[in-house]
Amino acid sequence: MILKALRRNKLVTVNYYIDGAVQTLKGRVRNLDLSDQTLSLEDEDKNVFSIRLAGIKEIY
């Protein structure tokens, strides 16, 4: 179900844990690297953020 949400070319919102706190990031999926277990999101300002898959709480 998570991978299905990631393949759409629409904005997604990701809640994830970093340093024990929940953060929220909204953007488009730029890259999904399964070997490094990271997800790269590009926000509305064209900034790219990398999130570890293990830290993702939910995607919607």
Side-chain angles (χ1 to χ4, degrees), residues 2 4-5 7 14 16-20 22 29 37-38 48 50-51 53:
I2 290 174
K4 188 176 182 180
R7 70 179 183 171
V14 178
Y16 63 99
Y17 292 103
I18 187 162
D19 297 329
V22 176
V29 176
Q37 303 248 330
T38 58
V48 178
S50 183
I51 302 170
L53 294 179

Side-chain angles (χ1 to χ4, degrees), residues 2-40:
I2 290 174
L3 293 177
K4 188 176 182 180
L6 295 178
R7 70 179 183 171
R8 293 182 290 173
N9 193 19
K10 297 184 179 181
L11 287 175
V12 294
T13 303
V14 178
N15 290 337
Y16 63 99
Y17 292 103
I18 187 162
D19 297 329
V22 176
Q23 299 290 322
T24 301
L25 182 60
K26 186 175 187 179
R28 296 186 189 277
V29 176
R30 180 156 180 150
N31 188 25
L32 177 62
D33 189 349
L34 296 178
S35 63
D36 286 339
Q37 303 248 330
T38 58
L39 171 69
S40 297

